[in-house]
Amino acid sequence: MSDKPRLLPGPDHPITITPTGKRVVVTVAGKVVADTQDALSLQESTYPAMQYVPLADVDRSLLTRTETRTYCPYKGDAGYYSITVDGQTVVDAIWEYVAPYDAVAQIKDHVAFYPDRVDSIQVG
């Protein structure tokens, strides 16, 4: 039994997930790390919308899973990846909910990038 709080999205804390409908390209150190037409846009409460990219559309050869873990009562436990390009590593640049809660099940097998840890996240 977990003692972590588990909350459902609702009027006080809405979460919507919709297909982005546009190409999403993520670059680090000038190299394309992700390129997809299948991103999901997750809008949580008043936070900026985040692009969740299918892990299959990320260059996994550049990723290293880290020991970092965080918890969101609406989405579940998150794990992290660092990105290494040309010998330079950006630590914990990506997060992933491996087993997201039912309310956000669509983001399974997707990852999100910290905008301030990558060069760019281009949408469209």
Side-chain angles (χ1 to χ4, degrees):
M1 183 85 183
S2 173
D3 59 351
K4 294 178 184 175
R6 188 168 177 166
L7 303 173
L8 290 173
D12 293 338
H13 193 98
I15 297 177
T16 58
I17 302 170
T18 55
T20 300
K22 298 177 181 176
R23 183 179 182 198
V24 174
V25 178
V26 181
T27 60
V28 172
K31 182 169 180 62
V32 173
V33 175
D35 188 345
T36 188
Q37 295 281 352
D38 298 317
L40 298 173
S41 183
L42 185 145
Q43 178 67 56
E44 181 174 358
S45 190
T46 60
Y47 301 112
M50 298 302 300
Q51 298 302 310
Y52 277 76
V53 173
L55 188 55
D57 292 336
V58 178
D59 184 345
R60 294 168 93 173
S61 71
L62 304 173
L63 307 185
T64 304
R65 186 171 288 283
T66 72
E67 296 298 318
T68 303
R69 301 287 179 264
T70 58
Y71 178 73
C72 172
Y74 294 96
K75 297 187 287 294
D77 291 302
Y80 289 76
Y81 293 93
S82 292
I83 304 169
T84 302
V85 175
D86 295 332
Q88 296 182 357
T89 299
V90 183
V91 177
D92 292 337
I94 301 173
W95 72 90
E96 169 186 38
Y97 292 94
V98 175
Y101 291 156
D102 291 344
V104 294
Q106 291 167 272
I107 63 171
K108 182 172 177 38
D109 299 322
H110 288 66
V111 297
F113 295 79
Y114 279 106
D116 62 341
R117 296 185 189 178
V118 298
D119 291 348
S120 67
I121 301 172
Q122 296 177 336
V123 180

